[in-house]
Amino acid sequence: MKDKNILVNNGVNVGASLEILGDMGMYDETLTDFLDEVEEKLSSIKEYKENSDMPNYAIQVHSLKSDSKYLGFTTLAELAYNHEMASKGNDVIYVNEHYDELMSEVNRIVNICKEYMGR
């Protein structure tokens, strides 16, 4: 059985997420989709950053932000939003200076979610 306290004790706002998704069954399905897609998404984010392709970077971090909001990853959603706004403003300097912070939080969340899902 999955213990949602793993999520809650690590700062995931499961309550807010359940207001959107309804129940833990739907949460788990959405989380599974997130985990199945996150590595490819992070690869795209990295590639677009390295190429200073801010329009496509903005699309990918927007997607990360949306996933994070649905799943209750409040800090990650905020960081992704900041990257989205910076990249829409073509602020390559901000993106480069704060990229490691974003990736650190993504990796923290992914590890928590994998623990919760038993992966």
Side-chain angles (χ1 to χ4, degrees), residues 38-39 42 76 100-114:
V38 72
E39 293 304 322
L42 294 178
L76 182 54
D100 289 343
E101 178 185 22
L102 177 66
M103 289 302 108
S104 177
E105 182 63 9
V106 169
N107 289 327
R108 186 183 80 81
I109 288 296
V110 167
N111 288 334
I112 290 163
C113 293
K114 285 181 176 178

Side-chain angles (χ1 to χ4, degrees), residues 35-114:
L35 289 173
D36 289 347
E37 299 167 0
V38 72
E39 293 304 322
E40 184 176 331
K41 189 174 295 188
L42 294 178
S43 177
S44 295
I45 287 171
K46 180 180 179 186
E47 179 183 337
Y48 293 136
K49 178 193 80 75
E50 289 174 352
N51 293 325
S52 299
D53 182 347
M54 292 296 101
N56 284 312
Y57 183 88
I59 290 168
Q60 291 299 316
V61 293
H62 171 82
S63 175
L64 180 62
K65 176 197 74 179
S66 296
D67 291 344
S68 297
K69 281 187 167 189
Y70 281 121
L71 291 165
F73 311 149
T74 309
T75 301
L76 182 54
E78 183 179 316
L79 292 171
Y81 173 77
N82 293 341
H83 277 258
E84 178 186 1
M85 292 297 100
S87 57
K88 284 182 175 180
N90 205 35
D91 190 347
V92 176
I93 293 169
Y94 178 92
V95 168
N96 286 320
E97 287 180 352
H98 296 274
Y99 179 78
D100 289 343
E101 178 185 22
L102 177 66
M103 289 302 108
S104 177
E105 182 63 9
V106 169
N107 289 327
R108 186 183 80 81
I109 288 296
V110 167
N111 288 334
I112 290 163
C113 293
K114 285 181 176 178

